[in-house]
Amino acid sequence: MEIKSVGVVGAGQMGNGIAHVMALAGYDVRLNDVRQESLDKAVDLIGKNLDRQVSREKISQEERDTALARISTTMEIAEVADTDLVIEAATEKEDVKHKIFESILPSLRPNTILTSNTSSISITRLASRTDRPEKFMGFHFMNPVPVMQLVELIRGIATDQETYAACLGVVEKLGKTAASAEDFPAFIVNRILIPMINEACYTLYEGVGNVSSIDTAMKLGANHPMGPLELADFIGLDTCLAIMNVLHDGLADTKYRPCPLMTKYVEAGWLGRKTKRGFYDYRGDTPVPTR
């Protein structure tokens, strides 16, 4: 099937980035959230990010204006359902995702493809609670969406080839690269990345090194652009912990046991950049290690 319109559920960090790249690629986008404030903030941020692309001569002013005009916002989930492709980009909590799909099902077109931007949750399980498991798959963008080139495409056990081919076509139209992953906990990127971050937390927890030395060691010793603890703050410690729990529960292997220190930071509400404190304190002019 040809996809012309895209519905995005969730106007947060991932949702607004997905809306941005979809509109720029020529798709009509309907962006949904439960709060009007979030929608207004998302559109404002998309505009600023498009302006940045214009200033760097990545796109023209006309392309910027046309893309922004392709995005409409709504708090009504039924309006998002009237599209060719729906991408759920809400919080990484399975019960929340199930509720979103249950609320959108009655309004969906018969041929609409349902997808989730989940970074770790079973696609087969999410699909099983819908009326179209054959037209359901994982559509996992990397953060920040306008910058990162990879999209993981994850087929559930029932996903048909036509659905996969349609989503692959969208990725190619976006100018990004698709990596096909099997439906196992955390897929490819986070199956490798998040345990590395968790191990960095254990290295801190056990006193092998402090925040600064751990991040410096990995940046200069492994040529990583960001240290693992800095990256954890960027992703959000709550998201990192949620993915570690999915790995631990789904694979029943003790090597995926979340570090108690990560759990403690999340309990404190120190989730990283978005709360101004995590492994670094961002309340001043320069980030300062908290340990």
Side-chain angles (χ1 to χ4, degrees):
M1 65 175 292
E2 185 181 2
I3 293 171
K4 296 181 178 178
S5 57
V6 178
V8 181
V9 181
Q13 191 172 35
M14 296 303 294
N16 76 66
I18 294 168
H20 173 146
V21 298
M22 288 291 179
L24 203 52
Y27 296 103
D28 292 324
V29 179
R30 293 179 192 170
L31 182 60
N32 164 265
D33 201 277
V34 294
R35 296 190 306 160
Q36 186 61 47
E37 179 187 0
S38 297
L39 291 169
D40 294 341
K41 184 178 177 181
V43 172
D44 182 60
L45 183 58
I46 292 168
K48 289 177 179 176
N49 287 336
L50 287 167
D51 288 339
R52 187 177 296 113
Q53 288 179 296
V54 171
S55 68
R56 293 175 179 173
E57 299 184 347
K58 300 285 187 182
I59 62 173
S60 68
Q61 184 67 39
E62 183 181 359
E63 287 173 318
R64 179 259 186 213
D65 295 341
T66 302
L68 204 55
R70 289 193 184 107
I71 301 172
S72 60
T73 63
T74 178
M75 291 176 63
E76 298 298 325
I77 197 84
E79 293 181 19
V80 178
D82 187 28
T83 55
D84 300 319
L85 168 67
V86 173
I87 303 173
E88 171 274 315
T91 185
E92 193 69 357
K93 294 180 181 177
E94 188 168 343
D95 59 334
V96 172
K97 295 181 186 297
H98 283 308
K99 287 175 183 176
I100 288 170
F101 292 127
E102 286 167 8
S103 67
I104 204 171
L105 285 178
S107 307
L108 285 175
R109 299 176 186 171
N111 291 324
T112 296
I113 293 174
L114 268 182
T115 67
S116 176
N117 183 58
T118 179
S119 54
S120 62
I121 298 168
S122 167
I123 298 303
T124 298
R125 196 162 62 239
L126 290 174
S128 70
R129 299 274 289 272
T130 74
D131 64 351
R132 60 195 67 207
E134 72 287 348
K135 291 190 174 298
F136 191 109
M137 67 181 299
F139 209 138
H140 180 214
F141 288 84
M142 305 296 122
N143 184 37
V145 180
V147 175
M148 301 296 281
Q149 291 301 302
L150 184 74
V151 179
E152 281 184 311
L153 293 180
I154 307 100
R155 279 179 275 206
I157 197 168
T159 307
D160 63 27
Q161 181 58 30
E162 183 184 18
T163 298
Y164 173 80
C167 290
L168 178 60
V170 172
V171 175
E172 290 172 346
K173 189 173 178 180
L174 294 176
K176 296 186 182 293
T177 300
S180 296
E182 293 300 315
D183 185 24
F184 290 101
F187 319 129
I188 295 173
V189 172
N190 284 325
R191 173 75 177 264
I192 298 167
L193 176 64
I194 301 300
M196 183 196 75
I197 288 173
N198 194 54
E199 195 62 30
C201 294
Y202 270 114
T203 306
L204 178 64
Y205 177 63
E206 293 168 4
V208 180
N210 60 26
V211 169
S212 180
S213 62
I214 291 167
D215 277 352
T216 299
M218 292 306 292
K219 282 191 284 188
L220 301 184
N223 205 28
H224 289 191
M226 296 174 73
L229 301 177
E230 182 185 4
L231 180 58
D233 277 357
F234 180 76
I235 295 169
L237 301 192
D238 52 339
T239 300
C240 293
L241 180 60
I243 295 170
M244 282 308 302
N245 281 323
V246 166
L247 283 165
H248 192 238
D249 295 343
L251 298 171
D253 192 324
T254 55
K255 73 178 181 179
Y256 297 116
R257 184 171 67 97
C259 178
L261 183 60
M262 185 188 292
T263 301
K264 193 61 64 181
Y265 270 68
V266 172
E267 288 174 343
W270 290 20
L271 309 181
R273 286 179 179 267
K274 59 187 173 185
T275 59
K276 303 296 184 184
R277 278 192 291 187
F279 290 115
Y280 291 84
D281 189 325
Y282 300 92
R283 293 174 296 176
D285 295 332
T286 305
V288 178
T290 53
R291 292 179 84 85

PDB file of all heavy atoms in Angstrom, residues 29-54:
ATOM      1  N   VAL A  29       1.041  14.947   8.357  1.00  0.00           N
ATOM      2  CA  VAL A  29       1.218  14.429   9.711  1.00  0.00           C
ATOM      3  C   VAL A  29       0.149  14.960  10.657  1.00  0.00           C
ATOM      4  O   VAL A  29      -0.118  16.166  10.685  1.00  0.00           O
ATOM      5  CB  VAL A  29       2.614  14.806  10.266  1.00  0.00           C
ATOM      6  CG1 VAL A  29       2.791  14.282  11.687  1.00  0.00           C
ATOM      7  CG2 VAL A  29       3.713  14.260   9.354  1.00  0.00           C
ATOM      8  N   ARG A  30      -0.443  14.055  11.429  1.00  0.00           N
ATOM      9  CA  ARG A  30      -1.351  14.446  12.500  1.00  0.00           C
ATOM     10  C   ARG A  30      -0.706  14.028  13.817  1.00  0.00           C
ATOM     11  O   ARG A  30      -0.501  12.841  14.065  1.00  0.00           O
ATOM     12  CB  ARG A  30      -2.716  13.784  12.329  1.00  0.00           C
ATOM     13  CG  ARG A  30      -3.445  14.294  11.110  1.00  0.00           C
ATOM     14  CD  ARG A  30      -4.784  13.642  10.918  1.00  0.00           C
ATOM     15  NE  ARG A  30      -5.304  13.953   9.588  1.00  0.00           N
ATOM     16  CZ  ARG A  30      -6.362  13.369   9.048  1.00  0.00           C
ATOM     17  NH1 ARG A  30      -7.018  12.445   9.737  1.00  0.00           N
ATOM     18  NH2 ARG A  30      -6.770  13.685   7.839  1.00  0.00           N
ATOM     19  N   LEU A  31      -0.396  15.012  14.623  1.00  0.00           N
ATOM     20  CA  LEU A  31       0.301  14.788  15.888  1.00  0.00           C
ATOM     21  C   LEU A  31      -0.684  14.870  17.044  1.00  0.00           C
ATOM     22  O   LEU A  31      -1.419  15.852  17.173  1.00  0.00           O
ATOM     23  CB  LEU A  31       1.410  15.832  16.045  1.00  0.00           C
ATOM     24  CG  LEU A  31       2.308  15.769  17.275  1.00  0.00           C
ATOM     25  CD1 LEU A  31       3.050  14.428  17.351  1.00  0.00           C
ATOM     26  CD2 LEU A  31       3.304  16.921  17.255  1.00  0.00           C
ATOM     27  N   ASN A  32      -0.689  13.826  17.865  1.00  0.00           N
ATOM     28  CA  ASN A  32      -1.649  13.737  18.966  1.00  0.00           C
ATOM     29  C   ASN A  32      -0.952  13.677  20.321  1.00  0.00           C
ATOM     30  O   ASN A  32       0.123  13.098  20.464  1.00  0.00           O
ATOM     31  CB  ASN A  32      -2.512  12.479  18.782  1.00  0.00           C
ATOM     32  CG  ASN A  32      -3.273  12.089  20.041  1.00  0.00           C
ATOM     33  OD1 ASN A  32      -2.818  11.265  20.827  1.00  0.00           O
ATOM     34  ND2 ASN A  32      -4.439  12.687  20.238  1.00  0.00           N
ATOM     35  N   ASP A  33      -1.590  14.301  21.315  1.00  0.00           N
ATOM     36  CA  ASP A  33      -1.140  14.177  22.705  1.00  0.00           C
ATOM     37  C   ASP A  33      -2.344  14.443  23.600  1.00  0.00           C
ATOM     38  O   ASP A  33      -3.352  15.011  23.155  1.00  0.00           O
ATOM     39  CB  ASP A  33      -0.010  15.164  23.014  1.00  0.00           C
ATOM     40  CG  ASP A  33       0.823  14.739  24.221  1.00  0.00           C
ATOM     41  OD1 ASP A  33       0.405  15.021  25.356  1.00  0.00           O
ATOM     42  OD2 ASP A  33       1.878  14.103  24.024  1.00  0.00           O
ATOM     43  N   VAL A  34      -2.225  14.028  24.855  1.00  0.00           N
ATOM     44  CA  VAL A  34      -3.342  14.233  25.792  1.00  0.00           C
ATOM     45  C   VAL A  34      -3.353  15.650  26.354  1.00  0.00           C
ATOM     46  O   VAL A  34      -4.327  16.070  26.980  1.00  0.00           O
ATOM     47  CB  VAL A  34      -3.289  13.213  26.953  1.00  0.00           C
ATOM     48  CG1 VAL A  34      -3.526  11.804  26.432  1.00  0.00           C
ATOM     49  CG2 VAL A  34      -1.949  13.288  27.697  1.00  0.00           C
ATOM     50  N   ARG A  35      -2.273  16.409  26.105  1.00  0.00           N
ATOM     51  CA  ARG A  35      -2.204  17.785  26.612  1.00  0.00           C
ATOM     52  C   ARG A  35      -1.928  18.759  25.479  1.00  0.00           C
ATOM     53  O   ARG A  35      -0.990  18.574  24.706  1.00  0.00           O
ATOM     54  CB  ARG A  35      -1.104  17.908  27.673  1.00  0.00           C
ATOM     55  CG  ARG A  35      -1.330  17.080  28.942  1.00  0.00           C
ATOM     56  CD  ARG A  35      -0.339  17.451  30.016  1.00  0.00           C
ATOM     57  NE  ARG A  35       1.035  17.369  29.541  1.00  0.00           N
ATOM     58  CZ  ARG A  35       2.066  17.983  30.123  1.00  0.00           C
ATOM     59  NH1 ARG A  35       1.871  18.748  31.169  1.00  0.00           N
ATOM     60  NH2 ARG A  35       3.287  17.827  29.637  1.00  0.00           N
ATOM     61  N   GLN A  36      -2.728  19.810  25.409  1.00  0.00           N
ATOM     62  CA  GLN A  36      -2.533  20.838  24.386  1.00  0.00           C
ATOM     63  C   GLN A  36      -1.186  21.532  24.565  1.00  0.00           C
ATOM     64  O   GLN A  36      -0.527  21.897  23.591  1.00  0.00           O
ATOM     65  CB  GLN A  36      -3.663  21.867  24.450  1.00  0.00           C
ATOM     66  CG  GLN A  36      -3.627  22.910  23.338  1.00  0.00           C
ATOM     67  CD  GLN A  36      -3.762  22.300  21.951  1.00  0.00           C
ATOM     68  OE1 GLN A  36      -4.623  21.462  21.721  1.00  0.00           O
ATOM     69  NE2 GLN A  36      -2.908  22.724  21.026  1.00  0.00           N
ATOM     70  N   GLU A  37      -0.777  21.690  25.807  1.00  0.00           N
ATOM     71  CA  GLU A  37       0.514  22.317  26.110  1.00  0.00           C
ATOM     72  C   GLU A  37       1.666  21.548  25.454  1.00  0.00           C
ATOM     73  O   GLU A  37       2.600  22.149  24.900  1.00  0.00           O
ATOM     74  CB  GLU A  37       0.719  22.370  27.626  1.00  0.00           C
ATOM     75  CG  GLU A  37       2.039  22.972  28.066  1.00  0.00           C
ATOM     76  CD  GLU A  37       2.276  22.842  29.565  1.00  0.00           C
ATOM     77  OE1 GLU A  37       1.415  22.290  30.280  1.00  0.00           O
ATOM     78  OE2 GLU A  37       3.347  23.282  30.017  1.00  0.00           O
ATOM     79  N   SER A  38       1.580  20.223  25.486  1.00  0.00           N
ATOM     80  CA  SER A  38       2.626  19.392  24.874  1.00  0.00           C
ATOM     81  C   SER A  38       2.634  19.545  23.360  1.00  0.00           C
ATOM     82  O   SER A  38       3.695  19.567  22.729  1.00  0.00           O
ATOM     83  CB  SER A  38       2.408  17.921  25.245  1.00  0.00           C
ATOM     84  OG  SER A  38       2.520  17.738  26.642  1.00  0.00           O
ATOM     85  N   LEU A  39       1.449  19.647  22.772  1.00  0.00           N
ATOM     86  CA  LEU A  39       1.344  19.827  21.325  1.00  0.00           C
ATOM     87  C   LEU A  39       1.924  21.178  20.892  1.00  0.00           C
ATOM     88  O   LEU A  39       2.675  21.262  19.918  1.00  0.00           O
ATOM     89  CB  LEU A  39      -0.118  19.720  20.884  1.00  0.00           C
ATOM     90  CG  LEU A  39      -0.753  18.331  20.999  1.00  0.00           C
ATOM     91  CD1 LEU A  39      -2.256  18.406  20.796  1.00  0.00           C
ATOM     92  CD2 LEU A  39      -0.121  17.373  19.992  1.00  0.00           C
ATOM     93  N   ASP A  40       1.584  22.216  21.636  1.00  0.00           N
ATOM     94  CA  ASP A  40       2.103  23.559  21.318  1.00  0.00           C
ATOM     95  C   ASP A  40       3.621  23.603  21.443  1.00  0.00           C
ATOM     96  O   ASP A  40       4.314  24.181  20.596  1.00  0.00           O
ATOM     97  CB  ASP A  40       1.479  24.605  22.249  1.00  0.00           C
ATOM     98  CG  ASP A  40      -0.024  24.757  22.034  1.00  0.00           C
ATOM     99  OD1 ASP A  40      -0.512  24.353  20.965  1.00  0.00           O
ATOM    100  OD2 ASP A  40      -0.704  25.267  22.955  1.00  0.00           O
ATOM    101  N   LYS A  41       4.128  22.981  22.488  1.00  0.00           N
ATOM    102  CA  LYS A  41       5.571  22.938  22.718  1.00  0.00           C
ATOM    103  C   LYS A  41       6.270  22.165  21.599  1.00  0.00           C
ATOM    104  O   LYS A  41       7.345  22.559  21.128  1.00  0.00           O
ATOM    105  CB  LYS A  41       5.854  22.286  24.078  1.00  0.00           C
ATOM    106  CG  LYS A  41       7.315  22.269  24.485  1.00  0.00           C
ATOM    107  CD  LYS A  41       7.474  21.653  25.869  1.00  0.00           C
ATOM    108  CE  LYS A  41       8.945  21.568  26.266  1.00  0.00           C
ATOM    109  NZ  LYS A  41       9.119  20.943  27.603  1.00  0.00           N
ATOM    110  N   ALA A  42       5.635  21.060  21.154  1.00  0.00           N
ATOM    111  CA  ALA A  42       6.221  20.233  20.095  1.00  0.00           C
ATOM    112  C   ALA A  42       6.318  20.996  18.785  1.00  0.00           C
ATOM    113  O   ALA A  42       7.358  20.968  18.113  1.00  0.00           O
ATOM    114  CB  ALA A  42       5.386  18.968  19.913  1.00  0.00           C
ATOM    115  N   VAL A  43       5.244  21.686  18.410  1.00  0.00           N
ATOM    116  CA  VAL A  43       5.240  22.444  17.147  1.00  0.00           C
ATOM    117  C   VAL A  43       6.279  23.566  17.193  1.00  0.00           C
ATOM    118  O   VAL A  43       6.994  23.820  16.216  1.00  0.00           O
ATOM    119  CB  VAL A  43       3.836  23.018  16.855  1.00  0.00           C
ATOM    120  CG1 VAL A  43       3.873  23.970  15.668  1.00  0.00           C
ATOM    121  CG2 VAL A  43       2.856  21.885  16.579  1.00  0.00           C
ATOM    122  N   ASP A  44       6.390  24.217  18.339  1.00  0.00           N
ATOM    123  CA  ASP A  44       7.384  25.275  18.508  1.00  0.00           C
ATOM    124  C   ASP A  44       8.804  24.721  18.352  1.00  0.00           C
ATOM    125  O   ASP A  44       9.648  25.322  17.673  1.00  0.00           O
ATOM    126  CB  ASP A  44       7.212  25.923  19.886  1.00  0.00           C
ATOM    127  CG  ASP A  44       8.197  27.070  20.109  1.00  0.00           C
ATOM    128  OD1 ASP A  44       8.166  28.035  19.330  1.00  0.00           O
ATOM    129  OD2 ASP A  44       9.004  26.991  21.065  1.00  0.00           O
ATOM    130  N   LEU A  45       9.037  23.555  18.953  1.00  0.00           N
ATOM    131  CA  LEU A  45      10.361  22.934  18.873  1.00  0.00           C
ATOM    132  C   LEU A  45      10.674  22.467  17.455  1.00  0.00           C
ATOM    133  O   LEU A  45      11.800  22.642  16.970  1.00  0.00           O
ATOM    134  CB  LEU A  45      10.438  21.748  19.846  1.00  0.00           C
ATOM    135  CG  LEU A  45      11.787  21.034  19.939  1.00  0.00           C
ATOM    136  CD1 LEU A  45      12.884  22.001  20.359  1.00  0.00           C
ATOM    137  CD2 LEU A  45      11.707  19.869  20.924  1.00  0.00           C
ATOM    138  N   ILE A  46       9.680  21.888  16.778  1.00  0.00           N
ATOM    139  CA  ILE A  46       9.874  21.468  15.386  1.00  0.00           C
ATOM    140  C   ILE A  46      10.250  22.675  14.525  1.00  0.00           C
ATOM    141  O   ILE A  46      11.164  22.600  13.696  1.00  0.00           O
ATOM    142  CB  ILE A  46       8.605  20.776  14.842  1.00  0.00           C
ATOM    143  CG1 ILE A  46       8.385  19.430  15.545  1.00  0.00           C
ATOM    144  CG2 ILE A  46       8.716  20.562  13.324  1.00  0.00           C
ATOM    145  CD1 ILE A  46       7.027  18.810  15.283  1.00  0.00           C
ATOM    146  N   GLY A  47       9.552  23.793  14.728  1.00  0.00           N
ATOM    147  CA  GLY A  47       9.860  25.013  13.988  1.00  0.00           C
ATOM    148  C   GLY A  47      11.286  25.470  14.217  1.00  0.00           C
ATOM    149  O   GLY A  47      12.001  25.836  13.264  1.00  0.00           O
ATOM    150  N   LYS A  48      11.735  25.439  15.473  1.00  0.00           N
ATOM    151  CA  LYS A  48      13.104  25.858  15.798  1.00  0.00           C
ATOM    152  C   LYS A  48      14.133  24.911  15.179  1.00  0.00           C
ATOM    153  O   LYS A  48      15.185  25.356  14.692  1.00  0.00           O
ATOM    154  CB  LYS A  48      13.285  25.917  17.313  1.00  0.00           C
ATOM    155  CG  LYS A  48      12.547  27.082  17.968  1.00  0.00           C
ATOM    156  CD  LYS A  48      12.693  27.055  19.490  1.00  0.00           C
ATOM    157  CE  LYS A  48      11.957  28.237  20.119  1.00  0.00           C
ATOM    158  NZ  LYS A  48      11.999  28.182  21.607  1.00  0.00           N
ATOM    159  N   ASN A  49      13.826  23.603  15.213  1.00  0.00           N
ATOM    160  CA  ASN A  49      14.764  22.628  14.639  1.00  0.00           C
ATOM    161  C   ASN A  49      14.832  22.754  13.117  1.00  0.00           C
ATOM    162  O   ASN A  49      15.901  22.598  12.517  1.00  0.00           O
ATOM    163  CB  ASN A  49      14.363  21.209  15.041  1.00  0.00           C
ATOM    164  CG  ASN A  49      14.654  20.928  16.507  1.00  0.00           C
ATOM    165  OD1 ASN A  49      15.512  21.567  17.108  1.00  0.00           O
ATOM    166  ND2 ASN A  49      13.954  19.982  17.087  1.00  0.00           N
ATOM    167  N   LEU A  50      13.697  23.070  12.486  1.00  0.00           N
ATOM    168  CA  LEU A  50      13.691  23.316  11.047  1.00  0.00           C
ATOM    169  C   LEU A  50      14.480  24.588  10.719  1.00  0.00           C
ATOM    170  O   LEU A  50      15.221  24.632   9.733  1.00  0.00           O
ATOM    171  CB  LEU A  50      12.254  23.425  10.534  1.00  0.00           C
ATOM    172  CG  LEU A  50      11.448  22.121  10.456  1.00  0.00           C
ATOM    173  CD1 LEU A  50       9.971  22.414  10.246  1.00  0.00           C
ATOM    174  CD2 LEU A  50      11.977  21.220   9.338  1.00  0.00           C
ATOM    175  N   ASP A  51      14.316  25.612  11.565  1.00  0.00           N
ATOM    176  CA  ASP A  51      15.081  26.854  11.378  1.00  0.00           C
ATOM    177  C   ASP A  51      16.583  26.590  11.443  1.00  0.00           C
ATOM    178  O   ASP A  51      17.359  27.180  10.681  1.00  0.00           O
ATOM    179  CB  ASP A  51      14.697  27.880  12.451  1.00  0.00           C
ATOM    180  CG  ASP A  51      13.306  28.478  12.237  1.00  0.00           C
ATOM    181  OD1 ASP A  51      12.816  28.424  11.089  1.00  0.00           O
ATOM    182  OD2 ASP A  51      12.717  28.976  13.216  1.00  0.00           O
ATOM    183  N   ARG A  52      16.962  25.704  12.363  1.00  0.00           N
ATOM    184  CA  ARG A  52      18.380  25.355  12.489  1.00  0.00           C
ATOM    185  C   ARG A  52      18.878  24.684  11.200  1.00  0.00           C
ATOM    186  O   ARG A  52      20.001  24.939  10.745  1.00  0.00           O
ATOM    187  CB  ARG A  52      18.581  24.432  13.695  1.00  0.00           C
ATOM    188  CG  ARG A  52      20.047  24.148  14.018  1.00  0.00           C
ATOM    189  CD  ARG A  52      20.212  23.297  15.270  1.00  0.00           C
ATOM    190  NE  ARG A  52      19.730  23.992  16.452  1.00  0.00           N
ATOM    191  CZ  ARG A  52      18.668  23.635  17.162  1.00  0.00           C
ATOM    192  NH1 ARG A  52      17.967  22.570  16.807  1.00  0.00           N
ATOM    193  NH2 ARG A  52      18.294  24.301  18.231  1.00  0.00           N
ATOM    194  N   GLN A  53      18.037  23.835  10.615  1.00  0.00           N
ATOM    195  CA  GLN A  53      18.421  23.179   9.360  1.00  0.00           C
ATOM    196  C   GLN A  53      18.550  24.191   8.220  1.00  0.00           C
ATOM    197  O   GLN A  53      19.418  24.056   7.359  1.00  0.00           O
ATOM    198  CB  GLN A  53      17.398  22.094   9.004  1.00  0.00           C
ATOM    199  CG  GLN A  53      17.485  20.863   9.914  1.00  0.00           C
ATOM    200  CD  GLN A  53      16.450  19.815   9.552  1.00  0.00           C
ATOM    201  OE1 GLN A  53      15.255  20.035   9.655  1.00  0.00           O
ATOM    202  NE2 GLN A  53      16.914  18.656   9.115  1.00  0.00           N
ATOM    203  N   VAL A  54      17.676  25.209   8.228  1.00  0.00           N
ATOM    204  CA  VAL A  54      17.754  26.268   7.213  1.00  0.00           C
ATOM    205  C   VAL A  54      19.063  27.044   7.377  1.00  0.00           C
ATOM    206  O   VAL A  54      19.773  27.313   6.396  1.00  0.00           O
ATOM    207  CB  VAL A  54      16.549  27.230   7.313  1.00  0.00           C
ATOM    208  CG1 VAL A  54      16.750  28.440   6.397  1.00  0.00           C
ATOM    209  CG2 VAL A  54      15.254  26.515   6.953  1.00  0.00           C
TER     210      VAL A  54
END
